[in-house]
Amino acid sequence: LRAACDPIALGFAESALDRCANQRADAAWLAAQARHPQAKLVLVAGDRVQVAGGRVEARPLAGEEPTLLLGLDPRGVPWFAAPAETLSPSADLRSIAMQGLVPPHEQGLLAQARSLVHWHQRHGFCANCGAATRSVDAGYRRRCDGCAADHFPRTDPVVIIVVRGPSGLLLGRQSSWLPGLYSALAGFMEPGETIEDAARREVFEEAGIRVGAVRYVASQPWPFPSSLMIGLLGEALSEQITPDPLELEDARWFSRAELLAMREGRDPQGRRFPAPMAIAHHLVLAALE
Ligand SMILES: [Zn+2]
């Protein structure tokens, strides 16, 4: 992947923060971080945050007691996150990544903050006994005092795969997407499934293509709200495409020449594949190598 693309461009994949996973459960250590004179707080409202001057706008913590620690930056300054009702002005995370509104090393902490805040907002009660839960370990666990269950922030794995066949690369599009946009096939993994089998199942469900060998390329946090895109390349065992009309409006094989034209914005039908902030872009380039 490094050879195939500019790693800087992949959205949400880079963070300069040390999450301090070995220390953050220590209440005294956490309280000391909150007292740090330069401690920063990132506010999150839905998928919107504040940016200013090309950077994440974090406000001083000012003696508050936040519960969600993002980590320590290279200068040792702690960054925290908290929910907000509304933020004005603000930018949504997709636009931030798509337009590069903040440096890549600040996009990872935004994904972390958004996913963590979203999880806490929806897990105030125990899924086991219904009692109220409370945040512990700097926000990386919720404890139920009713039944002593521990709940951990979730990450939902999604397989995303570009399949290579004799006629080129398999891409598809959903009817809700912008006109002309084709991308890698993707879907949520199911319980008890390997990454490889999930990818084979998704491709067969969506396009009717059988996939043999599957190779991992790279991953990308996708904080809408808390997915992890697992980027793969697969080798086709069959060629006849049968798109599932419930999932895809179209799926087809794209030749190398077509893909290069799409990348350069000179496809005669105006077709294209996703921008460099999305892992699908890099999977296409990796498959073309
Ligand atoms: Zn409980």
Side-chain angles (χ1 to χ4, degrees):
L1 182 76
R2 292 266 167 189
C5 74
D6 173 5
I8 295 299
L10 189 60
F12 308 120
E14 202 181 319
S15 178
L17 298 187
D18 176 352
R19 294 180 181 230
C20 299
N22 289 337
Q23 294 130 297
R24 67 194 179 197
D26 178 341
W29 179 88
L30 186 64
Q33 301 312 310
R35 289 193 302 270
H36 190 289
Q38 273 127 33
K40 294 178 184 300
L41 184 65
V42 177
L43 295 174
V44 181
D47 66 354
R48 302 187 76 85
V49 297
Q50 293 190 294
V51 300
R55 305 297 296 266
V56 171
E57 186 161 80
R59 65 178 181 80
L61 196 55
E64 296 164 60
E65 283 195 27
T67 54
L68 310 184
L69 176 73
L70 299 175
L72 271 52
D73 72 17
R75 296 171 302 144
V77 173
W79 288 59
F80 293 89
E85 286 292 315
T86 57
L87 290 172
S88 181
S90 64
D92 71 279
L93 262 61
R94 278 187 183 81
S95 300
I96 288 171
M98 188 71 80
Q99 299 167 29
L101 300 183
V102 305
H105 72 270
E106 290 192 345
Q107 292 181 19
L109 77 87
L110 292 181
Q112 181 187 3
R114 188 271 194 272
S115 294
L116 205 52
V117 164
H118 182 274
W119 179 75
H120 281 279
Q121 288 175 323
R122 280 156 184 77
H123 291 79
F125 295 90
C126 178
N128 186 46
C129 77
T133 59
R134 59 188 169 86
S135 176
V136 293
D137 296 355
Y140 293 83
R141 180 163 63 105
R142 288 191 76 89
R143 177 76 176 173
C144 174
D145 292 325
C147 72
D150 287 315
H151 303 279
F152 298 91
R154 57 185 294 168
T155 295
D156 300 324
V158 173
V159 288
I160 179 164
I161 182 167
V162 167
V163 177
R164 284 191 286 220
S167 314
L169 306 185
L170 175 66
L171 302 179
R173 63 169 275 110
Q174 296 177 10
S175 56
S176 60
W177 293 355
L178 291 171
L181 181 63
Y182 281 77
S183 188
L185 303 189
F188 284 103
M189 292 185 61
E190 294 185 352
E193 203 172 33
T194 64
I195 289 171
E196 292 85 350
D197 281 345
R200 293 184 185 109
R201 174 182 53 74
E202 279 293 336
V203 173
F204 187 72
E205 280 176 9
E206 295 188 10
I209 295 292
R210 292 292 185 188
V211 174
V214 171
R215 180 167 70 84
Y216 170 79
V217 178
S219 63
Q220 177 182 31
W222 194 249
F224 308 104
S226 54
S227 292
L228 176 69
M229 309 301 280
I230 301 170
L232 307 163
L233 294 185
E235 305 299 332
L237 297 177
S238 64
E239 197 164 2
Q240 180 62 47
I241 295 172
T242 311
D244 173 5
L246 294 177
E247 300 250 13
L248 295 180
E249 179 183 80
D250 187 29
R252 50 160 295 175
W253 298 105
F254 288 89
S255 71
R256 180 182 188 83
E258 285 176 311
L259 291 161
L260 292 176
M262 289 160 73
R263 184 190 184 190
E264 292 160 13
R266 51 180 180 80
D267 179 75
Q269 298 169 53
R271 296 170 305 184
R272 59 203 166 76
F273 55 86
M277 67 81 85
I279 194 168
H281 177 96
H282 305 282
L283 294 175
V284 170
L285 297 194
L288 284 175
E289 277 211 323

